[in-house]
């Protein structure tokens, strides 16, 4: 029991650290790091919108190889001129163990499996109409997505999502009170509409009611 409790505590302590780093990036706590991540991600998605993924990966690999090979040759020439014995310039990185620990693989595999099972159960719940209201909401969402898909492709949505991911949090932080007010109004309107639909459609009410 003690080992299990200690493991749970360690997971709880490590998880917030990872989440804190993501929050710091999205809220631009460090402008340099956020700018690098946002710029690199946006450049990658824009590149994929112009070229195929094979071409983009090939160009990225060639760019990295050009840098590392040039640096390797430069250091080799410099060592020959200075007659120094510094060794391989990337020796420090070559000696590092980059293999994934079994514990990490098992942990995230279990997490992924749990989420997949949850998604399968939720899809069964929706498609087999276990709850009529939930299935109707899902149908409306799919209907809206048909229009979204007609206007944008998946890559364009990813680009828009990335931009929103790095802009909405900081905008919400600065105008939280006003945004919360309007969100509450929208939620109340949606609840009223759903309540009217539940009252008119037989069998649409929740089991709890």
């Amino acid at each position: 029991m003690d080992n299990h409790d200690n493991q749970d505590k360690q997971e709880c302590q490590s998880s917030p650290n990872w989440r804190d780093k993501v929050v710091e990036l999205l809220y631009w706590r460090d402008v340099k790091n956020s700018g690098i991540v946002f710029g690199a991600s946006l450049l990658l998605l824009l590149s994929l919108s112009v070229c195929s993924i094979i071409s983009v990966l090939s160009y990225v690999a060639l760019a990295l190889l050009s840098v590392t090979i040039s640096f390797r040759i430069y250091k080799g020439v410099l060592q020959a001129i200075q007659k120094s014995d510094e060794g391989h310039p990337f020796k420090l990185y070559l000696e590092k163990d980059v293999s994934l620990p079994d514990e990490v693989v098992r942990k995230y595999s279990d997490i992924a499996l749990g989420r997949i099972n949850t998604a399968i159960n939720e899809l069964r719940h929706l498609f087999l109409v276990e709850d009529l209201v939930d299935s109707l909401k899902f149908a409306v969402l799919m209907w809206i997505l048909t229009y979204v898909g007609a206007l944008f492709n998946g890559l364009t949505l990813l680009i828009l999502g990335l931009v929103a991911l790095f802009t909405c949090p900081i905008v919400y932080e600065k105008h939280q009170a006003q945004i919360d007010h309007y969100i509450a109004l929208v939620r109340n309107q949606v609840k009223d509409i759903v309540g009217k639909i539940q009252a008119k459609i037989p069998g649409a009410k929740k089991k709890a009611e």
Side-chain angles (χ1 to χ4, degrees):
M1 291 294 291
D2 293 338
N3 294 334
H4 182 69
D5 293 339
N6 292 334
Q7 185 178 359
D8 291 340
K9 289 180 180 179
Q10 289 176 357
E11 291 179 359
C12 292
Q13 291 174 354
S14 61
S15 181
N17 291 334
W18 179 81
R19 291 175 184 171
D20 289 343
K21 291 179 180 179
V22 174
V23 170
E24 288 177 0
L25 285 175
L26 298 181
Y27 282 89
W28 296 78
R29 303 296 188 224
D30 190 325
V31 178
K32 181 180 178 182
N33 290 339
S34 296
I36 291 173
V37 174
F38 176 64
S41 302
L42 185 60
L43 179 62
L44 177 62
L45 291 177
L46 291 174
S47 300
L48 289 173
S49 65
V50 177
C51 306
S52 67
I53 187 171
I54 297 175
S55 298
V56 172
L57 292 177
S58 299
Y59 282 126
V60 170
L62 284 173
L64 290 175
L65 282 171
S66 299
V67 173
T68 54
I69 290 173
S70 300
F71 186 72
R72 176 74 173 88
I73 294 173
Y74 167 75
K75 293 296 290 185
V77 172
L78 192 63
Q79 290 176 20
I81 294 174
Q82 297 178 349
K83 296 181 179 179
S84 61
D85 190 18
E86 296 181 3
H88 200 288
F90 300 117
K91 182 179 179 181
L92 178 63
Y93 301 100
L94 289 171
E95 292 177 348
K96 282 187 176 181
D97 185 14
V98 294
S99 58
L100 292 174
D102 295 338
E103 296 80 7
V104 174
V105 174
R106 283 196 295 267
K107 175 185 175 183
Y108 287 100
S109 297
D110 293 340
I111 293 174
L113 182 61
R115 291 182 178 177
I116 290 172
N117 289 332
T118 301
I120 292 173
N121 290 328
E122 184 64 23
L123 290 174
R124 181 183 63 180
H125 166 78
L126 294 170
F127 281 102
L128 298 183
V129 198
E130 183 177 359
D131 187 284
L132 183 58
V133 173
D134 289 342
S135 297
L136 288 173
K137 289 179 182 178
F138 185 68
V140 171
L141 176 61
M142 293 298 102
W143 176 71
I144 293 172
L145 288 180
T146 59
Y147 287 94
V148 174
L151 296 174
F152 309 101
N153 59 28
L155 199 55
T156 304
L157 290 177
L158 284 177
I159 294 173
L160 294 175
L162 178 67
V163 174
L165 200 62
F166 278 87
T167 54
C168 291
I170 192 69
V171 171
Y172 177 75
E173 187 178 42
K174 291 181 179 180
H175 306 283
Q176 182 175 356
Q178 297 92 324
I179 294 173
D180 287 343
H181 173 69
Y182 289 112
I183 289 176
L185 291 177
V186 172
R187 284 180 176 174
N188 291 333
Q189 291 292 331
V190 172
K191 286 181 179 179
D192 291 340
I193 294 172
V194 172
K196 292 177 181 178
I197 293 174
Q198 286 179 297
K200 292 182 179 180
I201 299 177
K205 291 187 178 182
K206 298 285 187 181
K207 293 179 180 180
E209 297 175 355

